[in-house]
Short mmCIF file of all heavy atoms in Angstrom, two decimals:
data_model
loop_
_atom_site.label_atom_id
_atom_site.label_comp_id
_atom_site.label_asym_id
_atom_site.label_seq_id
_atom_site.Cartn_x
_atom_site.Cartn_y
_atom_site.Cartn_z
N MET A 1 22.81 -23.48 5.21
CA MET A 1 21.98 -22.31 5.09
C MET A 1 21.58 -21.87 6.50
O MET A 1 21.26 -22.68 7.35
CB MET A 1 20.76 -22.63 4.25
CG MET A 1 19.86 -21.44 4.05
SD MET A 1 18.45 -21.82 3.01
CE MET A 1 19.07 -21.27 1.45
N SER A 2 21.60 -20.58 6.74
CA SER A 2 21.24 -20.06 8.06
C SER A 2 19.73 -20.00 8.24
O SER A 2 18.97 -20.06 7.28
CB SER A 2 21.85 -18.67 8.27
OG SER A 2 21.28 -17.77 7.34
N ASP A 3 19.32 -19.86 9.49
CA ASP A 3 17.90 -19.72 9.80
C ASP A 3 17.43 -18.33 9.41
O ASP A 3 18.21 -17.38 9.39
CB ASP A 3 17.67 -19.92 11.31
CG ASP A 3 17.92 -21.36 11.73
OD1 ASP A 3 17.72 -22.27 10.90
OD2 ASP A 3 18.30 -21.57 12.89
N PRO A 4 16.13 -18.18 9.11
CA PRO A 4 15.61 -16.85 8.78
C PRO A 4 15.81 -15.88 9.94
O PRO A 4 15.69 -16.25 11.10
CB PRO A 4 14.12 -17.09 8.55
CG PRO A 4 13.96 -18.55 8.37
CD PRO A 4 15.11 -19.20 9.06
N ILE A 5 16.12 -14.64 9.62
CA ILE A 5 16.29 -13.61 10.64
C ILE A 5 14.93 -13.14 11.14
O ILE A 5 14.73 -12.94 12.32
CB ILE A 5 17.09 -12.42 10.07
CG1 ILE A 5 18.50 -12.87 9.74
CG2 ILE A 5 17.10 -11.25 11.05
CD1 ILE A 5 19.31 -11.84 8.99
N ALA A 6 13.98 -12.98 10.22
CA ALA A 6 12.66 -12.51 10.61
C ALA A 6 11.62 -12.95 9.58
O ALA A 6 11.93 -13.12 8.40
CB ALA A 6 12.64 -10.99 10.71
N LEU A 7 10.42 -13.17 10.06
CA LEU A 7 9.28 -13.44 9.19
C LEU A 7 8.26 -12.36 9.44
O LEU A 7 8.05 -11.94 10.58
CB LEU A 7 8.68 -14.81 9.50
CG LEU A 7 9.60 -16.01 9.28
CD1 LEU A 7 8.90 -17.29 9.72
CD2 LEU A 7 9.99 -16.12 7.82
N THR A 8 7.62 -11.88 8.41
CA THR A 8 6.65 -10.80 8.56
C THR A 8 5.27 -11.28 8.17
O THR A 8 5.10 -11.94 7.15
CB THR A 8 7.04 -9.60 7.67
OG1 THR A 8 8.32 -9.14 8.06
CG2 THR A 8 6.04 -8.47 7.82
N SER A 9 4.30 -10.93 8.98
CA SER A 9 2.90 -11.22 8.69
C SER A 9 2.24 -9.93 8.22
O SER A 9 2.32 -8.91 8.90
CB SER A 9 2.21 -11.73 9.95
OG SER A 9 0.83 -11.86 9.74
N ILE A 10 1.61 -9.98 7.05
CA ILE A 10 0.97 -8.80 6.49
C ILE A 10 -0.47 -9.15 6.11
O ILE A 10 -0.71 -10.17 5.48
CB ILE A 10 1.72 -8.28 5.26
CG1 ILE A 10 3.15 -7.90 5.63
CG2 ILE A 10 0.99 -7.11 4.62
CD1 ILE A 10 4.03 -7.54 4.45
N THR A 11 -1.39 -8.28 6.51
CA THR A 11 -2.80 -8.43 6.13
C THR A 11 -3.20 -7.18 5.37
O THR A 11 -2.97 -6.07 5.83
CB THR A 11 -3.70 -8.58 7.38
OG1 THR A 11 -3.23 -9.69 8.14
CG2 THR A 11 -5.13 -8.82 6.99
N ILE A 12 -3.80 -7.38 4.18
CA ILE A 12 -4.18 -6.25 3.33
C ILE A 12 -5.68 -6.27 3.09
O ILE A 12 -6.25 -7.31 2.77
CB ILE A 12 -3.43 -6.28 1.98
CG1 ILE A 12 -1.93 -6.23 2.22
CG2 ILE A 12 -3.89 -5.14 1.08
CD1 ILE A 12 -1.09 -6.40 0.99
N PHE A 13 -6.31 -5.11 3.24
CA PHE A 13 -7.73 -4.94 2.98
C PHE A 13 -7.91 -3.99 1.82
O PHE A 13 -7.31 -2.92 1.79
CB PHE A 13 -8.44 -4.37 4.21
CG PHE A 13 -8.38 -5.27 5.41
CD1 PHE A 13 -7.39 -5.10 6.36
CD2 PHE A 13 -9.31 -6.28 5.57
CE1 PHE A 13 -7.33 -5.93 7.46
CE2 PHE A 13 -9.25 -7.11 6.68
CZ PHE A 13 -8.27 -6.95 7.62
N GLN A 14 -8.75 -4.37 0.86
CA GLN A 14 -9.10 -3.51 -0.27
C GLN A 14 -10.29 -2.67 0.17
O GLN A 14 -11.41 -3.14 0.20
CB GLN A 14 -9.47 -4.35 -1.50
CG GLN A 14 -9.78 -3.55 -2.73
CD GLN A 14 -8.54 -3.06 -3.45
OE1 GLN A 14 -7.57 -3.78 -3.57
NE2 GLN A 14 -8.57 -1.85 -3.91
N ASP A 15 -10.05 -1.41 0.56
CA ASP A 15 -11.10 -0.56 1.12
C ASP A 15 -11.95 0.11 0.06
O ASP A 15 -13.15 0.29 0.23
CB ASP A 15 -10.50 0.53 2.02
CG ASP A 15 -9.94 -0.04 3.31
OD1 ASP A 15 -10.42 -1.10 3.74
OD2 ASP A 15 -9.05 0.58 3.89
N ASP A 16 -11.34 0.53 -1.02
CA ASP A 16 -12.05 1.30 -2.04
C ASP A 16 -11.53 0.86 -3.40
O ASP A 16 -10.55 1.40 -3.92
CB ASP A 16 -11.81 2.79 -1.81
CG ASP A 16 -12.54 3.69 -2.79
OD1 ASP A 16 -13.11 3.19 -3.79
OD2 ASP A 16 -12.53 4.92 -2.58
N THR A 17 -12.19 -0.14 -3.98
CA THR A 17 -11.72 -0.71 -5.24
C THR A 17 -11.67 0.32 -6.35
O THR A 17 -10.71 0.38 -7.12
CB THR A 17 -12.61 -1.90 -5.65
OG1 THR A 17 -12.62 -2.85 -4.58
CG2 THR A 17 -12.11 -2.57 -6.90
N LYS A 18 -12.69 1.16 -6.44
CA LYS A 18 -12.75 2.16 -7.51
C LYS A 18 -11.54 3.08 -7.49
O LYS A 18 -10.97 3.41 -8.53
CB LYS A 18 -14.03 2.98 -7.36
CG LYS A 18 -14.17 4.09 -8.37
CD LYS A 18 -15.42 4.91 -8.12
CE LYS A 18 -15.38 6.14 -9.01
NZ LYS A 18 -16.13 7.25 -8.46
N ASN A 19 -11.10 3.51 -6.30
CA ASN A 19 -9.99 4.44 -6.17
C ASN A 19 -8.67 3.76 -5.80
O ASN A 19 -7.69 4.43 -5.49
CB ASN A 19 -10.32 5.53 -5.15
CG ASN A 19 -11.40 6.45 -5.66
OD1 ASN A 19 -11.28 7.00 -6.76
ND2 ASN A 19 -12.47 6.60 -4.92
N LYS A 20 -8.66 2.44 -5.82
CA LYS A 20 -7.44 1.65 -5.61
C LYS A 20 -6.84 1.80 -4.21
O LYS A 20 -5.63 1.63 -4.03
CB LYS A 20 -6.37 2.00 -6.65
CG LYS A 20 -6.84 2.03 -8.08
CD LYS A 20 -7.21 0.67 -8.56
CE LYS A 20 -7.56 0.72 -10.04
NZ LYS A 20 -8.38 -0.40 -10.44
N VAL A 21 -7.64 2.12 -3.19
CA VAL A 21 -7.12 2.33 -1.84
C VAL A 21 -7.07 0.99 -1.09
O VAL A 21 -8.05 0.25 -1.03
CB VAL A 21 -7.98 3.34 -1.05
CG1 VAL A 21 -7.47 3.48 0.38
CG2 VAL A 21 -7.97 4.69 -1.75
N ARG A 22 -5.89 0.69 -0.55
CA ARG A 22 -5.68 -0.52 0.23
C ARG A 22 -5.07 -0.15 1.57
O ARG A 22 -4.35 0.84 1.69
CB ARG A 22 -4.76 -1.49 -0.52
CG ARG A 22 -5.41 -1.96 -1.79
CD ARG A 22 -4.48 -2.65 -2.76
NE ARG A 22 -3.20 -2.03 -3.05
CZ ARG A 22 -3.00 -0.99 -3.85
NH1 ARG A 22 -4.01 -0.37 -4.40
NH2 ARG A 22 -1.80 -0.55 -4.09
N ARG A 23 -5.37 -0.96 2.58
CA ARG A 23 -4.86 -0.74 3.94
C ARG A 23 -4.12 -2.00 4.35
O ARG A 23 -4.66 -3.09 4.31
CB ARG A 23 -6.07 -0.48 4.85
CG ARG A 23 -5.84 -0.33 6.28
CD ARG A 23 -7.14 0.06 7.00
NE ARG A 23 -8.33 -0.58 6.44
CZ ARG A 23 -8.99 -1.58 7.03
NH1 ARG A 23 -8.60 -2.05 8.18
NH2 ARG A 23 -10.07 -2.10 6.45
N ALA A 24 -2.84 -1.84 4.73
CA ALA A 24 -2.01 -2.99 5.08
C ALA A 24 -1.58 -2.91 6.54
O ALA A 24 -1.14 -1.86 7.00
CB ALA A 24 -0.78 -3.05 4.19
N TYR A 25 -1.74 -4.02 7.24
CA TYR A 25 -1.23 -4.14 8.61
C TYR A 25 0.01 -5.01 8.54
O TYR A 25 -0.04 -6.15 8.06
CB TYR A 25 -2.29 -4.76 9.53
CG TYR A 25 -3.43 -3.81 9.78
CD1 TYR A 25 -4.55 -3.80 8.95
CD2 TYR A 25 -3.38 -2.91 10.83
CE1 TYR A 25 -5.59 -2.91 9.17
CE2 TYR A 25 -4.42 -2.02 11.06
CZ TYR A 25 -5.52 -2.03 10.22
OH TYR A 25 -6.54 -1.14 10.44
N ILE A 26 1.11 -4.46 9.00
CA ILE A 26 2.40 -5.12 8.87
C ILE A 26 2.92 -5.52 10.24
O ILE A 26 3.12 -4.67 11.12
CB ILE A 26 3.41 -4.20 8.15
CG1 ILE A 26 2.87 -3.83 6.77
CG2 ILE A 26 4.77 -4.88 8.05
CD1 ILE A 26 3.67 -2.79 6.04
N GLY A 27 3.13 -6.82 10.42
CA GLY A 27 3.68 -7.34 11.67
C GLY A 27 2.91 -6.89 12.89
O GLY A 27 1.69 -6.90 12.92
N GLU A 28 3.64 -6.45 13.89
CA GLU A 28 3.06 -6.04 15.16
C GLU A 28 2.72 -4.55 15.21
O GLU A 28 2.30 -4.05 16.25
CB GLU A 28 4.03 -6.38 16.31
CG GLU A 28 4.36 -7.86 16.40
CD GLU A 28 3.14 -8.70 16.74
OE1 GLU A 28 2.31 -8.28 17.58
OE2 GLU A 28 3.01 -9.80 16.16
N PHE A 29 2.92 -3.83 14.13
CA PHE A 29 2.61 -2.40 14.12
C PHE A 29 1.10 -2.21 14.14
O PHE A 29 0.38 -2.78 13.31
CB PHE A 29 3.21 -1.70 12.89
CG PHE A 29 4.71 -1.70 12.90
CD1 PHE A 29 5.42 -2.65 12.19
CD2 PHE A 29 5.41 -0.74 13.61
CE1 PHE A 29 6.80 -2.66 12.19
CE2 PHE A 29 6.79 -0.73 13.62
CZ PHE A 29 7.49 -1.70 12.91
N PRO A 30 0.58 -1.41 15.09
CA PRO A 30 -0.87 -1.27 15.21
C PRO A 30 -1.53 -0.40 14.14
O PRO A 30 -2.71 -0.58 13.83
CB PRO A 30 -1.05 -0.64 16.59
CG PRO A 30 0.21 0.13 16.81
CD PRO A 30 1.30 -0.68 16.13
N ASP A 31 -0.78 0.52 13.57
CA ASP A 31 -1.36 1.44 12.58
C ASP A 31 -1.16 0.90 11.17
O ASP A 31 -0.10 0.38 10.83
CB ASP A 31 -0.71 2.82 12.69
CG ASP A 31 -0.96 3.48 14.03
OD1 ASP A 31 -2.06 3.28 14.59
OD2 ASP A 31 -0.06 4.19 14.52
N PRO A 32 -2.18 1.06 10.33
CA PRO A 32 -2.05 0.55 8.97
C PRO A 32 -1.18 1.46 8.10
O PRO A 32 -0.99 2.64 8.38
CB PRO A 32 -3.48 0.55 8.46
CG PRO A 32 -4.14 1.65 9.22
CD PRO A 32 -3.50 1.64 10.58
N VAL A 33 -0.69 0.88 7.03
CA VAL A 33 -0.02 1.63 5.96
C VAL A 33 -1.02 1.68 4.82
O VAL A 33 -1.59 0.66 4.44
CB VAL A 33 1.27 0.91 5.51
CG1 VAL A 33 1.90 1.61 4.32
CG2 VAL A 33 2.25 0.80 6.66
N PHE A 34 -1.25 2.87 4.28
CA PHE A 34 -2.22 3.02 3.20
C PHE A 34 -1.50 3.05 1.86
O PHE A 34 -0.45 3.69 1.72
CB PHE A 34 -3.05 4.30 3.38
CG PHE A 34 -4.03 4.19 4.51
CD1 PHE A 34 -3.69 4.61 5.78
CD2 PHE A 34 -5.29 3.66 4.29
CE1 PHE A 34 -4.59 4.51 6.82
CE2 PHE A 34 -6.20 3.56 5.32
CZ PHE A 34 -5.85 3.97 6.60
N TYR A 35 -2.07 2.36 0.89
CA TYR A 35 -1.57 2.36 -0.47
C TYR A 35 -2.70 2.85 -1.38
O TYR A 35 -3.88 2.62 -1.09
CB TYR A 35 -1.17 0.95 -0.92
CG TYR A 35 -0.05 0.37 -0.14
CD1 TYR A 35 -0.27 -0.57 0.85
CD2 TYR A 35 1.26 0.76 -0.38
CE1 TYR A 35 0.78 -1.11 1.58
CE2 TYR A 35 2.32 0.22 0.34
CZ TYR A 35 2.06 -0.72 1.31
OH TYR A 35 3.10 -1.25 2.02
N GLY A 36 -2.33 3.48 -2.45
CA GLY A 36 -3.34 3.95 -3.40
C GLY A 36 -2.68 4.36 -4.69
O GLY A 36 -1.75 3.70 -5.15
N VAL A 37 -3.15 5.46 -5.24
CA VAL A 37 -2.59 5.97 -6.49
C VAL A 37 -2.41 7.47 -6.40
O VAL A 37 -3.05 8.15 -5.59
CB VAL A 37 -3.49 5.62 -7.69
CG1 VAL A 37 -3.53 4.13 -7.93
CG2 VAL A 37 -4.90 6.16 -7.53
N HIS A 38 -1.51 7.98 -7.24
CA HIS A 38 -1.26 9.42 -7.34
C HIS A 38 -0.58 9.67 -8.67
O HIS A 38 -0.16 8.74 -9.36
CB HIS A 38 -0.37 9.90 -6.17
CG HIS A 38 1.00 9.30 -6.21
ND1 HIS A 38 2.06 9.93 -6.81
CD2 HIS A 38 1.46 8.11 -5.77
CE1 HIS A 38 3.14 9.16 -6.71
NE2 HIS A 38 2.80 8.04 -6.08
N GLY A 39 -0.50 10.92 -9.05
CA GLY A 39 0.23 11.32 -10.25
C GLY A 39 -0.11 10.52 -11.49
O GLY A 39 -1.28 10.31 -11.82
N GLY A 40 0.93 10.03 -12.14
CA GLY A 40 0.75 9.28 -13.38
C GLY A 40 0.02 7.97 -13.19
O GLY A 40 -0.65 7.48 -14.11
N VAL A 41 0.12 7.39 -12.01
CA VAL A 41 -0.56 6.12 -11.75
C VAL A 41 -2.07 6.32 -11.76
O VAL A 41 -2.81 5.52 -12.35
CB VAL A 41 -0.10 5.49 -10.41
CG1 VAL A 41 -0.83 4.20 -10.13
CG2 VAL A 41 1.41 5.26 -10.42
N LYS A 42 -2.55 7.39 -11.14
CA LYS A 42 -4.00 7.63 -11.16
C LYS A 42 -4.47 7.95 -12.57
O LYS A 42 -5.57 7.57 -12.96
CB LYS A 42 -4.40 8.72 -10.16
CG LYS A 42 -4.02 10.12 -10.54
CD LYS A 42 -4.51 11.11 -9.50
CE LYS A 42 -4.16 12.52 -9.96
NZ LYS A 42 -4.60 13.52 -9.02
N GLN A 43 -3.63 8.62 -13.35
CA GLN A 43 -3.98 8.88 -14.75
C GLN A 43 -4.06 7.58 -15.54
O GLN A 43 -4.96 7.39 -16.36
CB GLN A 43 -2.96 9.82 -15.38
CG GLN A 43 -3.02 11.22 -14.83
CD GLN A 43 -1.88 12.10 -15.34
OE1 GLN A 43 -0.93 11.63 -15.93
NE2 GLN A 43 -2.00 13.40 -15.07
N PHE A 44 -3.13 6.67 -15.28
CA PHE A 44 -3.12 5.37 -15.95
C PHE A 44 -4.42 4.62 -15.68
O PHE A 44 -5.01 4.03 -16.58
CB PHE A 44 -1.92 4.54 -15.50
CG PHE A 44 -1.91 3.15 -16.06
CD1 PHE A 44 -1.45 2.91 -17.35
CD2 PHE A 44 -2.35 2.07 -15.30
CE1 PHE A 44 -1.44 1.62 -17.87
CE2 PHE A 44 -2.35 0.78 -15.82
CZ PHE A 44 -1.89 0.57 -17.10
N TYR A 45 -4.85 4.62 -14.41
CA TYR A 45 -6.07 3.90 -14.04
C TYR A 45 -7.34 4.71 -14.32
O TYR A 45 -8.44 4.19 -14.20
CB TYR A 45 -6.03 3.49 -12.57
CG TYR A 45 -5.14 2.31 -12.31
CD1 TYR A 45 -3.94 2.45 -11.62
CD2 TYR A 45 -5.49 1.04 -12.77
CE1 TYR A 45 -3.13 1.37 -11.38
CE2 TYR A 45 -4.67 -0.04 -12.54
CZ TYR A 45 -3.49 0.12 -11.85
OH TYR A 45 -2.69 -0.96 -11.63
N GLY A 46 -7.20 5.99 -14.64
CA GLY A 46 -8.35 6.82 -14.95
C GLY A 46 -9.23 7.10 -13.75
O GLY A 46 -10.45 7.13 -13.87
N VAL A 47 -8.60 7.30 -12.58
CA VAL A 47 -9.35 7.61 -11.37
C VAL A 47 -8.90 8.94 -10.81
O VAL A 47 -7.78 9.40 -11.06
CB VAL A 47 -9.20 6.50 -10.29
CG1 VAL A 47 -9.75 5.18 -10.79
CG2 VAL A 47 -7.76 6.33 -9.86
N GLU A 48 -9.75 9.55 -10.02
CA GLU A 48 -9.42 10.79 -9.31
C GLU A 48 -9.82 10.59 -7.85
O GLU A 48 -10.91 10.97 -7.43
CB GLU A 48 -10.17 11.97 -9.93
CG GLU A 48 -9.71 13.32 -9.43
CD GLU A 48 -8.24 13.58 -9.69
OE1 GLU A 48 -7.78 13.41 -10.82
OE2 GLU A 48 -7.54 13.96 -8.72
N PRO A 49 -8.93 9.94 -7.05
CA PRO A 49 -9.28 9.63 -5.67
C PRO A 49 -9.41 10.89 -4.81
O PRO A 49 -8.78 11.91 -5.09
CB PRO A 49 -8.11 8.77 -5.20
CG PRO A 49 -6.97 9.16 -6.08
CD PRO A 49 -7.58 9.54 -7.40
N GLU A 50 -10.24 10.79 -3.78
CA GLU A 50 -10.39 11.91 -2.84
C GLU A 50 -9.08 12.16 -2.10
O GLU A 50 -8.72 13.30 -1.83
CB GLU A 50 -11.50 11.61 -1.84
CG GLU A 50 -12.88 11.60 -2.45
CD GLU A 50 -13.95 11.28 -1.43
OE1 GLU A 50 -13.72 11.51 -0.22
OE2 GLU A 50 -15.02 10.81 -1.85
N VAL A 51 -8.38 11.09 -1.76
CA VAL A 51 -7.09 11.17 -1.07
C VAL A 51 -6.08 10.38 -1.89
O VAL A 51 -6.35 9.24 -2.28
CB VAL A 51 -7.18 10.59 0.36
CG1 VAL A 51 -5.82 10.64 1.04
CG2 VAL A 51 -8.23 11.33 1.18
N GLU A 52 -4.93 10.98 -2.15
CA GLU A 52 -3.88 10.28 -2.87
C GLU A 52 -2.93 9.63 -1.87
O GLU A 52 -2.55 10.25 -0.87
CB GLU A 52 -3.12 11.25 -3.77
CG GLU A 52 -3.97 11.82 -4.87
CD GLU A 52 -3.19 12.72 -5.81
OE1 GLU A 52 -1.95 12.74 -5.75
OE2 GLU A 52 -3.84 13.40 -6.62
N TYR A 53 -2.57 8.38 -2.14
CA TYR A 53 -1.62 7.65 -1.30
C TYR A 53 -0.50 7.14 -2.18
O TYR A 53 -0.67 6.96 -3.39
CB TYR A 53 -2.30 6.44 -0.64
CG TYR A 53 -3.32 6.80 0.40
CD1 TYR A 53 -4.68 6.64 0.14
CD2 TYR A 53 -2.94 7.29 1.64
CE1 TYR A 53 -5.63 6.96 1.10
CE2 TYR A 53 -3.89 7.62 2.60
CZ TYR A 53 -5.22 7.45 2.33
OH TYR A 53 -6.16 7.77 3.27
N PRO A 54 0.67 6.85 -1.58
CA PRO A 54 1.74 6.24 -2.35
C PRO A 54 1.28 4.88 -2.89
O PRO A 54 0.48 4.20 -2.27
CB PRO A 54 2.87 6.05 -1.34
CG PRO A 54 2.54 6.94 -0.20
CD PRO A 54 1.06 7.08 -0.19
N SER A 55 1.81 4.52 -4.04
CA SER A 55 1.50 3.21 -4.60
C SER A 55 2.44 2.17 -3.98
O SER A 55 3.44 2.51 -3.34
CB SER A 55 1.68 3.23 -6.12
OG SER A 55 3.05 3.36 -6.44
N THR A 56 2.12 0.91 -4.18
CA THR A 56 3.00 -0.14 -3.68
C THR A 56 4.38 -0.02 -4.33
O THR A 56 5.39 -0.29 -3.68
CB THR A 56 2.40 -1.53 -3.94
OG1 THR A 56 2.01 -1.62 -5.31
CG2 THR A 56 1.18 -1.77 -3.07
N LEU A 57 4.43 0.40 -5.60
CA LEU A 57 5.72 0.58 -6.27
C LEU A 57 6.55 1.66 -5.57
O LEU A 57 7.78 1.50 -5.45
CB LEU A 57 5.50 0.95 -7.74
CG LEU A 57 6.76 1.13 -8.58
CD1 LEU A 57 7.60 -0.14 -8.55
CD2 LEU A 57 6.40 1.50 -9.99
N ASP A 58 5.92 2.71 -5.08
CA ASP A 58 6.66 3.74 -4.32
C ASP A 58 7.35 3.14 -3.12
O ASP A 58 8.50 3.47 -2.81
CB ASP A 58 5.72 4.86 -3.86
CG ASP A 58 5.15 5.68 -5.00
OD1 ASP A 58 5.91 5.98 -5.95
OD2 ASP A 58 3.95 6.00 -4.96
N HIS A 59 6.66 2.25 -2.42
CA HIS A 59 7.24 1.63 -1.22
C HIS A 59 8.37 0.67 -1.58
O HIS A 59 9.37 0.59 -0.86
CB HIS A 59 6.16 0.92 -0.42
CG HIS A 59 5.30 1.88 0.34
ND1 HIS A 59 5.57 2.28 1.63
CD2 HIS A 59 4.18 2.54 -0.02
CE1 HIS A 59 4.66 3.14 2.03
NE2 HIS A 59 3.80 3.33 1.05
N ILE A 60 8.24 -0.03 -2.69
CA ILE A 60 9.31 -0.94 -3.12
C ILE A 60 10.57 -0.14 -3.45
O ILE A 60 11.68 -0.50 -3.04
CB ILE A 60 8.86 -1.79 -4.32
CG1 ILE A 60 7.77 -2.76 -3.88
CG2 ILE A 60 10.04 -2.52 -4.95
CD1 ILE A 60 7.06 -3.45 -5.02
N VAL A 61 10.41 0.95 -4.18
CA VAL A 61 11.56 1.79 -4.54
C VAL A 61 12.19 2.40 -3.28
O VAL A 61 13.42 2.41 -3.14
CB VAL A 61 11.14 2.89 -5.54
CG1 VAL A 61 12.25 3.90 -5.74
CG2 VAL A 61 10.71 2.27 -6.86
N ALA A 62 11.37 2.87 -2.34
CA ALA A 62 11.90 3.43 -1.10
C ALA A 62 12.67 2.37 -0.30
O ALA A 62 13.72 2.67 0.28
CB ALA A 62 10.76 4.01 -0.27
N ALA A 63 12.14 1.16 -0.26
CA ALA A 63 12.81 0.09 0.49
C ALA A 63 14.16 -0.26 -0.14
O ALA A 63 15.14 -0.48 0.57
CB ALA A 63 11.92 -1.15 0.53
N ALA A 64 14.20 -0.28 -1.47
CA ALA A 64 15.46 -0.60 -2.15
C ALA A 64 16.51 0.48 -1.92
O ALA A 64 17.71 0.21 -1.86
CB ALA A 64 15.20 -0.78 -3.64
N GLY A 65 16.05 1.73 -1.76
CA GLY A 65 16.98 2.83 -1.54
C GLY A 65 17.38 3.01 -0.09
O GLY A 65 18.28 3.77 0.22
N GLY A 66 16.68 2.30 0.80
CA GLY A 66 16.82 2.50 2.23
C GLY A 66 18.06 1.98 2.82
O GLY A 66 18.55 2.28 3.84
#
């Protein structure tokens, strides 16, 4: 088995539990990535956030298509 190519360190902060907003710091990148809810996801959770952000599922789908 080969050695790992890369390991990633991720820190996530739950900023606004009511509106499902999370802030993730990925590796050495200084700016956070924001996750939240929008569209049908916000309807599912019954929230109306001030700012809509992509959900974690959006990022997984984008990564798979990348």
Side-chain angles (χ1 to χ4, degrees):
M1 182 179 264
S2 64
D3 292 331
I5 295 172
L7 298 176
T8 301
S9 172
I10 300 173
T11 304
I12 300 174
F13 297 95
Q14 182 79 41
D15 290 334
D16 182 351
T17 304
K18 177 183 170 207
N19 292 306
K20 312 292 185 202
V21 177
R22 295 166 314 283
R23 175 174 37 106
Y25 290 90
I26 302 172
E28 301 296 321
F29 294 97
D31 297 325
V33 175
F34 288 93
Y35 296 102
V37 294
H38 65 94
V41 178
K42 72 179 183 180
Q43 291 173 348
F44 175 81
Y45 284 110
V47 298
E48 190 59 50
E50 291 180 23
V51 178
E52 295 184 11
Y53 292 107
S55 69
T56 50
L57 182 58
D58 293 319
H59 284 269
I60 292 169
V61 171

